[in-house]
Structure formats: C-alpha cells, structure tokens
mmCIF file of all heavy atoms in Angstrom:
data_model
loop_
_atom_site.group_PDB
_atom_site.id
_atom_site.type_symbol
_atom_site.label_atom_id
_atom_site.label_comp_id
_atom_site.label_asym_id
_atom_site.label_seq_id
_atom_site.Cartn_x
_atom_site.Cartn_y
_atom_site.Cartn_z
ATOM 1 N N ASN A 1 -7.119 30.670 10.907
ATOM 2 C CA ASN A 1 -7.167 30.247 12.309
ATOM 3 C C ASN A 1 -7.056 28.736 12.432
ATOM 4 O O ASN A 1 -6.373 28.225 13.306
ATOM 5 C CB ASN A 1 -8.480 30.704 12.966
ATOM 6 C CG ASN A 1 -8.479 32.182 13.261
ATOM 7 O OD1 ASN A 1 -7.445 32.820 13.266
ATOM 8 N ND2 ASN A 1 -9.650 32.728 13.481
ATOM 9 N N GLU A 2 -7.762 28.025 11.555
ATOM 10 C CA GLU A 2 -7.823 26.565 11.647
ATOM 11 C C GLU A 2 -6.528 25.893 11.230
ATOM 12 O O GLU A 2 -6.204 24.828 11.734
ATOM 13 C CB GLU A 2 -8.972 26.031 10.783
ATOM 14 C CG GLU A 2 -10.334 26.395 11.316
ATOM 15 C CD GLU A 2 -11.455 26.048 10.347
ATOM 16 O OE1 GLU A 2 -11.180 25.447 9.289
ATOM 17 O OE2 GLU A 2 -12.606 26.385 10.665
ATOM 18 N N THR A 3 -5.793 26.476 10.293
ATOM 19 C CA THR A 3 -4.599 25.811 9.785
ATOM 20 C C THR A 3 -3.359 26.096 10.624
ATOM 21 O O THR A 3 -2.300 25.547 10.352
ATOM 22 C CB THR A 3 -4.340 26.182 8.310
ATOM 23 O OG1 THR A 3 -4.202 27.602 8.204
ATOM 24 C CG2 THR A 3 -5.465 25.695 7.422
ATOM 25 N N MET A 4 -3.480 26.947 11.615
ATOM 26 C CA MET A 4 -2.440 27.194 12.606
ATOM 27 C C MET A 4 -1.043 27.387 12.008
ATOM 28 O O MET A 4 -0.109 26.665 12.317
ATOM 29 C CB MET A 4 -2.403 26.066 13.638
ATOM 30 C CG MET A 4 -3.690 25.940 14.404
ATOM 31 S SD MET A 4 -3.725 24.475 15.456
ATOM 32 C CE MET A 4 -4.048 23.181 14.269
ATOM 33 N N GLY A 5 -0.928 28.326 11.095
ATOM 34 C CA GLY A 5 0.378 28.668 10.554
ATOM 35 C C GLY A 5 0.852 27.776 9.419
ATOM 36 O O GLY A 5 1.968 27.938 8.943
ATOM 37 N N ARG A 6 0.013 26.851 8.968
ATOM 38 C CA ARG A 6 0.443 25.991 7.865
ATOM 39 C C ARG A 6 0.304 26.677 6.520
ATOM 40 O O ARG A 6 0.868 26.239 5.535
ATOM 41 C CB ARG A 6 -0.366 24.690 7.837
ATOM 42 C CG ARG A 6 -0.026 23.759 8.960
ATOM 43 C CD ARG A 6 -0.611 22.387 8.765
ATOM 44 N NE ARG A 6 -2.072 22.424 8.696
ATOM 45 C CZ ARG A 6 -2.818 21.365 8.411
ATOM 46 N NH1 ARG A 6 -2.256 20.207 8.159
ATOM 47 N NH2 ARG A 6 -4.124 21.465 8.380
ATOM 48 N N GLY A 7 -0.487 27.743 6.470
ATOM 49 C CA GLY A 7 -0.702 28.419 5.204
ATOM 50 C C GLY A 7 -1.604 27.610 4.301
ATOM 51 O O GLY A 7 -2.461 26.857 4.746
ATOM 52 N N CYS A 8 -1.383 27.729 3.012
ATOM 53 C CA CYS A 8 -2.176 27.051 1.984
ATOM 54 C C CYS A 8 -1.288 25.992 1.328
ATOM 55 O O CYS A 8 -0.154 26.287 0.943
ATOM 56 C CB CYS A 8 -2.614 28.097 0.952
ATOM 57 S SG CYS A 8 -3.289 27.444 -0.577
ATOM 58 N N LEU A 9 -1.787 24.786 1.211
ATOM 59 C CA LEU A 9 -0.988 23.714 0.610
ATOM 60 C C LEU A 9 -0.542 24.084 -0.802
ATOM 61 O O LEU A 9 0.586 23.789 -1.190
ATOM 62 C CB LEU A 9 -1.770 22.391 0.601
ATOM 63 C CG LEU A 9 -1.057 21.190 -0.022
ATOM 64 C CD1 LEU A 9 0.268 20.891 0.675
ATOM 65 C CD2 LEU A 9 -1.967 19.971 -0.004
ATOM 66 N N MET A 10 -1.388 24.740 -1.563
ATOM 67 C CA MET A 10 -1.020 25.127 -2.929
ATOM 68 C C MET A 10 0.085 26.176 -2.932
ATOM 69 O O MET A 10 1.050 26.075 -3.686
ATOM 70 C CB MET A 10 -2.230 25.660 -3.696
ATOM 71 C CG MET A 10 -3.184 24.611 -4.137
ATOM 72 S SD MET A 10 -2.444 23.466 -5.324
ATOM 73 C CE MET A 10 -3.806 22.337 -5.509
ATOM 74 N N VAL A 11 -0.061 27.198 -2.093
ATOM 75 C CA VAL A 11 0.967 28.239 -2.013
ATOM 76 C C VAL A 11 2.270 27.622 -1.524
ATOM 77 O O VAL A 11 3.346 27.875 -2.086
ATOM 78 C CB VAL A 11 0.520 29.402 -1.099
ATOM 79 C CG1 VAL A 11 1.664 30.372 -0.854
ATOM 80 C CG2 VAL A 11 -0.670 30.132 -1.713
ATOM 81 N N ASN A 12 2.185 26.797 -0.487
ATOM 82 C CA ASN A 12 3.384 26.148 0.046
ATOM 83 C C ASN A 12 4.076 25.322 -1.033
ATOM 84 O O ASN A 12 5.309 25.354 -1.165
ATOM 85 C CB ASN A 12 3.027 25.238 1.223
ATOM 86 C CG ASN A 12 2.451 25.987 2.402
ATOM 87 O OD1 ASN A 12 2.444 27.210 2.449
ATOM 88 N ND2 ASN A 12 1.930 25.242 3.355
ATOM 89 N N SER A 13 3.292 24.580 -1.792
ATOM 90 C CA SER A 13 3.859 23.727 -2.846
ATOM 91 C C SER A 13 4.478 24.573 -3.951
ATOM 92 O O SER A 13 5.542 24.236 -4.482
ATOM 93 C CB SER A 13 2.779 22.815 -3.422
ATOM 94 O OG SER A 13 2.274 21.974 -2.410
ATOM 95 N N SER A 14 3.824 25.666 -4.289
ATOM 96 C CA SER A 14 4.363 26.562 -5.302
ATOM 97 C C SER A 14 5.707 27.123 -4.855
ATOM 98 O O SER A 14 6.662 27.184 -5.634
ATOM 99 C CB SER A 14 3.373 27.700 -5.564
ATOM 100 O OG SER A 14 3.871 28.568 -6.533
ATOM 101 N N LEU A 15 5.798 27.502 -3.591
ATOM 102 C CA LEU A 15 7.054 28.033 -3.066
ATOM 103 C C LEU A 15 8.118 26.944 -2.973
ATOM 104 O O LEU A 15 9.301 27.196 -3.216
ATOM 105 C CB LEU A 15 6.826 28.680 -1.698
ATOM 106 C CG LEU A 15 5.947 29.938 -1.709
ATOM 107 C CD1 LEU A 15 5.631 30.385 -0.293
ATOM 108 C CD2 LEU A 15 6.607 31.053 -2.502
ATOM 109 N N GLU A 16 7.712 25.728 -2.624
ATOM 110 C CA GLU A 16 8.670 24.629 -2.495
ATOM 111 C C GLU A 16 9.227 24.186 -3.849
ATOM 112 O O GLU A 16 10.417 23.932 -3.991
ATOM 113 C CB GLU A 16 8.010 23.429 -1.799
ATOM 114 C CG GLU A 16 8.950 22.263 -1.578
ATOM 115 C CD GLU A 16 8.341 21.111 -0.787
ATOM 116 O OE1 GLU A 16 7.136 21.166 -0.430
ATOM 117 O OE2 GLU A 16 9.071 20.160 -0.526
ATOM 118 N N PHE A 17 8.379 24.108 -4.875
ATOM 119 C CA PHE A 17 8.800 23.596 -6.168
ATOM 120 C C PHE A 17 9.206 24.672 -7.154
ATOM 121 O O PHE A 17 9.891 24.386 -8.129
ATOM 122 C CB PHE A 17 7.678 22.743 -6.789
ATOM 123 C CG PHE A 17 7.547 21.394 -6.168
ATOM 124 C CD1 PHE A 17 6.749 21.208 -5.051
ATOM 125 C CD2 PHE A 17 8.213 20.302 -6.695
ATOM 126 C CE1 PHE A 17 6.618 19.961 -4.467
ATOM 127 C CE2 PHE A 17 8.090 19.048 -6.122
ATOM 128 C CZ PHE A 17 7.292 18.872 -5.009
ATOM 129 N N GLY A 18 8.760 25.911 -6.938
ATOM 130 C CA GLY A 18 9.026 26.960 -7.913
ATOM 131 C C GLY A 18 8.397 26.601 -9.249
ATOM 132 O O GLY A 18 7.311 26.049 -9.301
ATOM 133 N N CYS A 19 9.098 26.857 -10.317
ATOM 134 C CA CYS A 19 8.595 26.539 -11.663
ATOM 135 C C CYS A 19 9.182 25.238 -12.193
ATOM 136 O O CYS A 19 9.090 24.950 -13.379
ATOM 137 C CB CYS A 19 8.945 27.678 -12.623
ATOM 138 S SG CYS A 19 8.176 29.236 -12.176
ATOM 139 N N ASN A 20 9.809 24.464 -11.323
ATOM 140 C CA ASN A 20 10.572 23.308 -11.766
ATOM 141 C C ASN A 20 9.773 22.029 -11.969
ATOM 142 O O ASN A 20 10.336 21.046 -12.426
ATOM 143 C CB ASN A 20 11.715 23.022 -10.777
ATOM 144 C CG ASN A 20 12.672 24.188 -10.686
ATOM 145 O OD1 ASN A 20 12.887 24.886 -11.662
ATOM 146 N ND2 ASN A 20 13.228 24.404 -9.521
ATOM 147 N N ASP A 21 8.517 22.005 -11.616
ATOM 148 C CA ASP A 21 7.749 20.777 -11.731
ATOM 149 C C ASP A 21 6.438 21.058 -12.459
ATOM 150 O O ASP A 21 5.543 21.706 -11.918
ATOM 151 C CB ASP A 21 7.478 20.187 -10.344
ATOM 152 C CG ASP A 21 6.897 18.801 -10.423
ATOM 153 O OD1 ASP A 21 5.800 18.646 -11.004
ATOM 154 O OD2 ASP A 21 7.531 17.869 -9.896
ATOM 155 N N GLU A 22 6.335 20.557 -13.663
ATOM 156 C CA GLU A 22 5.180 20.856 -14.515
ATOM 157 C C GLU A 22 3.864 20.372 -13.914
ATOM 158 O O GLU A 22 2.852 21.074 -13.970
ATOM 159 C CB GLU A 22 5.395 20.209 -15.892
ATOM 160 C CG GLU A 22 4.371 20.592 -16.919
ATOM 161 C CD GLU A 22 4.666 19.984 -18.272
ATOM 162 O OE1 GLU A 22 5.836 20.052 -18.704
ATOM 163 O OE2 GLU A 22 3.731 19.454 -18.879
ATOM 164 N N GLU A 23 3.855 19.177 -13.334
ATOM 165 C CA GLU A 23 2.607 18.628 -12.792
ATOM 166 C C GLU A 23 2.150 19.378 -11.541
ATOM 167 O O GLU A 23 0.957 19.647 -11.374
ATOM 168 C CB GLU A 23 2.765 17.136 -12.492
ATOM 169 C CG GLU A 23 2.880 16.302 -13.760
ATOM 170 C CD GLU A 23 3.175 14.855 -13.461
ATOM 171 O OE1 GLU A 23 4.250 14.570 -12.909
ATOM 172 O OE2 GLU A 23 2.300 14.020 -13.778
ATOM 173 N N VAL A 24 3.079 19.736 -10.679
ATOM 174 C CA VAL A 24 2.730 20.529 -9.502
ATOM 175 C C VAL A 24 2.237 21.893 -9.948
ATOM 176 O O VAL A 24 1.201 22.381 -9.474
ATOM 177 C CB VAL A 24 3.925 20.651 -8.524
ATOM 178 C CG1 VAL A 24 3.613 21.652 -7.414
ATOM 179 C CG2 VAL A 24 4.283 19.291 -7.940
ATOM 180 N N ASN A 25 2.939 22.511 -10.878
ATOM 181 C CA ASN A 25 2.531 23.827 -11.380
ATOM 182 C C ASN A 25 1.148 23.786 -12.011
ATOM 183 O O ASN A 25 0.384 24.729 -11.880
ATOM 184 C CB ASN A 25 3.551 24.370 -12.389
ATOM 185 C CG ASN A 25 4.781 24.927 -11.705
ATOM 186 O OD1 ASN A 25 4.713 25.357 -10.560
ATOM 187 N ND2 ASN A 25 5.900 24.890 -12.395
#
C-alpha cells in the first residue's frame, strides 16, 4: 500500500539487471 506500485527495490533491480551485474546480484 505504501509503495504505491513501486514494488520492491531489490526485485526491481534484479529484473532490471538480470544476471549481468555481479555486485547488484
């Protein structure tokens, strides 16, 4: 409710970077 459709920063980052960034992963 509080994040108003932003989801989770970790999930979003995982989807944005995929497996291509070791530090993000």
Side-chain angles (χ1 to χ4, degrees):
N1 285 344
E2 291 171 4
T3 58
M4 299 172 283
R6 289 192 299 174
C8 167
L9 179 58
M10 285 296 176
V11 172
N12 297 351
S13 299
S14 180
L15 294 172
E16 182 175 3
F17 284 88
C19 298
N20 299 327
D21 190 299
E22 188 177 314
E23 290 174 296
V24 171
N25 282 334

